[in-house]
Amino acid sequence: MLALKRLVTILVMVFLLLALLVLLLPSVRSSFTSMAGSAESLFFGLLVAAVILLGLQLITENLDSTLLRRDVAARDGKINELKARLYDHQLDQQRNTTGPMGAPRTGTTTLPEGYVAPTPTIPPTDAANQPLA
């Protein structure tokens, strides 16, 4: 695909150089006009070539973009699959280390019935809110 894309780009550059020569240099224009027969047929031929090359350029660019997006999507799927395997492996290891010794930690702290939290003791302070020695 890359070779086709480069070939089309080279063809477009050669055409652009040729068209600029015809448009900017009267001597080149007169010689190309004599080969084409008339100025109208020369410019019509340039227009047809430009349309064909532009269409070819658009097709190759869109095809390349589509192929790249598919490749990225496939790689993202593979990455997600590997992440899932790693997560499953880590869960299996964690289950094996905690095992039957105790229940897994839930992250929630529960206090027993009748538990009374101690009140914090605040040291005496003066008017400037400085602790008294």
Side-chain angles (χ1 to χ4, degrees), residues 13-25 28-29 46:
M13 283 192 239
V14 168
F15 172 78
L16 185 61
L17 180 64
L18 183 68
L20 285 174
L21 284 173
V22 168
L23 292 175
L24 297 177
L25 297 175
V28 174
R29 185 180 319 132
L46 287 175

PDB file of all heavy atoms in Angstrom, residues 13-25 28-29 46:
ATOM      1  N   MET A  13       3.169  15.010  -8.238  1.00  0.00           N
ATOM      2  CA  MET A  13       4.221  16.026  -8.263  1.00  0.00           C
ATOM      3  C   MET A  13       4.710  16.296  -9.684  1.00  0.00           C
ATOM      4  O   MET A  13       4.936  17.453 -10.060  1.00  0.00           O
ATOM      5  CB  MET A  13       5.388  15.590  -7.375  1.00  0.00           C
ATOM      6  CG  MET A  13       5.130  15.761  -5.902  1.00  0.00           C
ATOM      7  SD  MET A  13       6.652  15.556  -4.995  1.00  0.00           S
ATOM      8  CE  MET A  13       6.220  14.212  -3.962  1.00  0.00           C
ATOM      9  N   VAL A  14       4.880  15.249 -10.483  1.00  0.00           N
ATOM     10  CA  VAL A  14       5.320  15.427 -11.872  1.00  0.00           C
ATOM     11  C   VAL A  14       4.268  16.201 -12.657  1.00  0.00           C
ATOM     12  O   VAL A  14       4.592  17.131 -13.416  1.00  0.00           O
ATOM     13  CB  VAL A  14       5.614  14.052 -12.522  1.00  0.00           C
ATOM     14  CG1 VAL A  14       5.792  14.179 -14.026  1.00  0.00           C
ATOM     15  CG2 VAL A  14       6.847  13.442 -11.885  1.00  0.00           C
ATOM     16  N   PHE A  15       2.993  15.853 -12.458  1.00  0.00           N
ATOM     17  CA  PHE A  15       1.928  16.581 -13.145  1.00  0.00           C
ATOM     18  C   PHE A  15       1.907  18.044 -12.726  1.00  0.00           C
ATOM     19  O   PHE A  15       1.733  18.936 -13.567  1.00  0.00           O
ATOM     20  CB  PHE A  15       0.570  15.936 -12.863  1.00  0.00           C
ATOM     21  CG  PHE A  15      -0.566  16.757 -13.394  1.00  0.00           C
ATOM     22  CD1 PHE A  15      -0.873  16.735 -14.737  1.00  0.00           C
ATOM     23  CD2 PHE A  15      -1.304  17.574 -12.553  1.00  0.00           C
ATOM     24  CE1 PHE A  15      -1.909  17.509 -15.238  1.00  0.00           C
ATOM     25  CE2 PHE A  15      -2.326  18.349 -13.045  1.00  0.00           C
ATOM     26  CZ  PHE A  15      -2.640  18.317 -14.392  1.00  0.00           C
ATOM     27  N   LEU A  16       2.050  18.306 -11.436  1.00  0.00           N
ATOM     28  CA  LEU A  16       2.040  19.679 -10.957  1.00  0.00           C
ATOM     29  C   LEU A  16       3.192  20.479 -11.555  1.00  0.00           C
ATOM     30  O   LEU A  16       3.008  21.634 -11.973  1.00  0.00           O
ATOM     31  CB  LEU A  16       2.115  19.692  -9.426  1.00  0.00           C
ATOM     32  CG  LEU A  16       2.007  21.053  -8.748  1.00  0.00           C
ATOM     33  CD1 LEU A  16       0.674  21.698  -9.076  1.00  0.00           C
ATOM     34  CD2 LEU A  16       2.181  20.899  -7.258  1.00  0.00           C
ATOM     35  N   LEU A  17       4.363  19.888 -11.629  1.00  0.00           N
ATOM     36  CA  LEU A  17       5.506  20.564 -12.238  1.00  0.00           C
ATOM     37  C   LEU A  17       5.242  20.852 -13.715  1.00  0.00           C
ATOM     38  O   LEU A  17       5.502  21.967 -14.206  1.00  0.00           O
ATOM     39  CB  LEU A  17       6.758  19.700 -12.077  1.00  0.00           C
ATOM     40  CG  LEU A  17       8.050  20.265 -12.650  1.00  0.00           C
ATOM     41  CD1 LEU A  17       8.443  21.532 -11.914  1.00  0.00           C
ATOM     42  CD2 LEU A  17       9.149  19.240 -12.568  1.00  0.00           C
ATOM     43  N   LEU A  18       4.701  19.881 -14.425  1.00  0.00           N
ATOM     44  CA  LEU A  18       4.387  20.064 -15.839  1.00  0.00           C
ATOM     45  C   LEU A  18       3.328  21.148 -16.037  1.00  0.00           C
ATOM     46  O   LEU A  18       3.458  22.016 -16.913  1.00  0.00           O
ATOM     47  CB  LEU A  18       3.921  18.736 -16.429  1.00  0.00           C
ATOM     48  CG  LEU A  18       3.617  18.718 -17.916  1.00  0.00           C
ATOM     49  CD1 LEU A  18       4.900  18.908 -18.709  1.00  0.00           C
ATOM     50  CD2 LEU A  18       2.957  17.411 -18.281  1.00  0.00           C
ATOM     51  N   ALA A  19       2.290  21.128 -15.225  1.00  0.00           N
ATOM     52  CA  ALA A  19       1.220  22.129 -15.342  1.00  0.00           C
ATOM     53  C   ALA A  19       1.747  23.530 -15.023  1.00  0.00           C
ATOM     54  O   ALA A  19       1.371  24.504 -15.690  1.00  0.00           O
ATOM     55  CB  ALA A  19       0.068  21.762 -14.418  1.00  0.00           C
ATOM     56  N   LEU A  20       2.610  23.654 -14.012  1.00  0.00           N
ATOM     57  CA  LEU A  20       3.186  24.963 -13.704  1.00  0.00           C
ATOM     58  C   LEU A  20       4.063  25.463 -14.836  1.00  0.00           C
ATOM     59  O   LEU A  20       4.056  26.665 -15.157  1.00  0.00           O
ATOM     60  CB  LEU A  20       3.971  24.896 -12.395  1.00  0.00           C
ATOM     61  CG  LEU A  20       3.132  24.836 -11.119  1.00  0.00           C
ATOM     62  CD1 LEU A  20       4.032  24.633  -9.907  1.00  0.00           C
ATOM     63  CD2 LEU A  20       2.314  26.093 -10.964  1.00  0.00           C
ATOM     64  N   LEU A  21       4.811  24.574 -15.455  1.00  0.00           N
ATOM     65  CA  LEU A  21       5.624  24.975 -16.613  1.00  0.00           C
ATOM     66  C   LEU A  21       4.740  25.481 -17.751  1.00  0.00           C
ATOM     67  O   LEU A  21       5.033  26.503 -18.383  1.00  0.00           O
ATOM     68  CB  LEU A  21       6.492  23.814 -17.093  1.00  0.00           C
ATOM     69  CG  LEU A  21       7.724  23.490 -16.269  1.00  0.00           C
ATOM     70  CD1 LEU A  21       8.381  22.214 -16.789  1.00  0.00           C
ATOM     71  CD2 LEU A  21       8.707  24.639 -16.296  1.00  0.00           C
ATOM     72  N   VAL A  22       3.654  24.768 -18.030  1.00  0.00           N
ATOM     73  CA  VAL A  22       2.755  25.175 -19.111  1.00  0.00           C
ATOM     74  C   VAL A  22       2.089  26.504 -18.794  1.00  0.00           C
ATOM     75  O   VAL A  22       1.950  27.374 -19.668  1.00  0.00           O
ATOM     76  CB  VAL A  22       1.703  24.072 -19.376  1.00  0.00           C
ATOM     77  CG1 VAL A  22       0.576  24.573 -20.269  1.00  0.00           C
ATOM     78  CG2 VAL A  22       2.366  22.865 -19.992  1.00  0.00           C
ATOM     79  N   LEU A  23       1.695  26.700 -17.538  1.00  0.00           N
ATOM     80  CA  LEU A  23       0.979  27.921 -17.184  1.00  0.00           C
ATOM     81  C   LEU A  23       1.899  29.140 -17.051  1.00  0.00           C
ATOM     82  O   LEU A  23       1.481  30.257 -17.353  1.00  0.00           O
ATOM     83  CB  LEU A  23       0.200  27.709 -15.877  1.00  0.00           C
ATOM     84  CG  LEU A  23      -0.969  26.739 -15.959  1.00  0.00           C
ATOM     85  CD1 LEU A  23      -1.572  26.532 -14.579  1.00  0.00           C
ATOM     86  CD2 LEU A  23      -2.023  27.239 -16.927  1.00  0.00           C
ATOM     87  N   LEU A  24       3.132  28.946 -16.622  1.00  0.00           N
ATOM     88  CA  LEU A  24       3.990  30.091 -16.311  1.00  0.00           C
ATOM     89  C   LEU A  24       4.965  30.471 -17.424  1.00  0.00           C
ATOM     90  O   LEU A  24       5.382  31.631 -17.493  1.00  0.00           O
ATOM     91  CB  LEU A  24       4.761  29.824 -15.017  1.00  0.00           C
ATOM     92  CG  LEU A  24       3.905  29.645 -13.760  1.00  0.00           C
ATOM     93  CD1 LEU A  24       4.783  29.319 -12.562  1.00  0.00           C
ATOM     94  CD2 LEU A  24       3.083  30.883 -13.494  1.00  0.00           C
ATOM     95  N   LEU A  25       5.342  29.545 -18.261  1.00  0.00           N
ATOM     96  CA  LEU A  25       6.328  29.841 -19.306  1.00  0.00           C
ATOM     97  C   LEU A  25       5.662  29.830 -20.685  1.00  0.00           C
ATOM     98  O   LEU A  25       5.193  28.781 -21.139  1.00  0.00           O
ATOM     99  CB  LEU A  25       7.479  28.835 -19.261  1.00  0.00           C
ATOM    100  CG  LEU A  25       8.316  28.841 -17.972  1.00  0.00           C
ATOM    101  CD1 LEU A  25       9.327  27.719 -18.010  1.00  0.00           C
ATOM    102  CD2 LEU A  25       8.996  30.177 -17.783  1.00  0.00           C
ATOM    103  N   VAL A  28       7.065  27.149 -23.246  1.00  0.00           N
ATOM    104  CA  VAL A  28       6.603  25.777 -22.997  1.00  0.00           C
ATOM    105  C   VAL A  28       5.151  25.648 -23.422  1.00  0.00           C
ATOM    106  O   VAL A  28       4.741  24.655 -24.031  1.00  0.00           O
ATOM    107  CB  VAL A  28       6.795  25.400 -21.510  1.00  0.00           C
ATOM    108  CG1 VAL A  28       6.199  24.046 -21.208  1.00  0.00           C
ATOM    109  CG2 VAL A  28       8.258  25.448 -21.138  1.00  0.00           C
ATOM    110  N   ARG A  29       4.343  26.666 -23.127  1.00  0.00           N
ATOM    111  CA  ARG A  29       2.931  26.641 -23.499  1.00  0.00           C
ATOM    112  C   ARG A  29       2.775  26.548 -25.011  1.00  0.00           C
ATOM    113  O   ARG A  29       1.937  25.788 -25.508  1.00  0.00           O
ATOM    114  CB  ARG A  29       2.223  27.883 -22.966  1.00  0.00           C
ATOM    115  CG  ARG A  29       0.735  27.866 -23.212  1.00  0.00           C
ATOM    116  CD  ARG A  29       0.001  29.093 -22.680  1.00  0.00           C
ATOM    117  NE  ARG A  29       0.488  29.488 -21.382  1.00  0.00           N
ATOM    118  CZ  ARG A  29       0.810  30.749 -21.053  1.00  0.00           C
ATOM    119  NH1 ARG A  29       0.701  31.715 -21.928  1.00  0.00           N
ATOM    120  NH2 ARG A  29       1.239  31.032 -19.839  1.00  0.00           N
ATOM    121  N   LEU A  46      -5.092  18.798 -19.749  1.00  0.00           N
ATOM    122  CA  LEU A  46      -4.562  19.010 -18.391  1.00  0.00           C
ATOM    123  C   LEU A  46      -5.659  18.848 -17.340  1.00  0.00           C
ATOM    124  O   LEU A  46      -5.422  18.287 -16.261  1.00  0.00           O
ATOM    125  CB  LEU A  46      -3.908  20.386 -18.276  1.00  0.00           C
ATOM    126  CG  LEU A  46      -2.561  20.568 -18.962  1.00  0.00           C
ATOM    127  CD1 LEU A  46      -2.104  22.011 -18.859  1.00  0.00           C
ATOM    128  CD2 LEU A  46      -1.518  19.639 -18.354  1.00  0.00           C
TER     129      LEU A  46
END
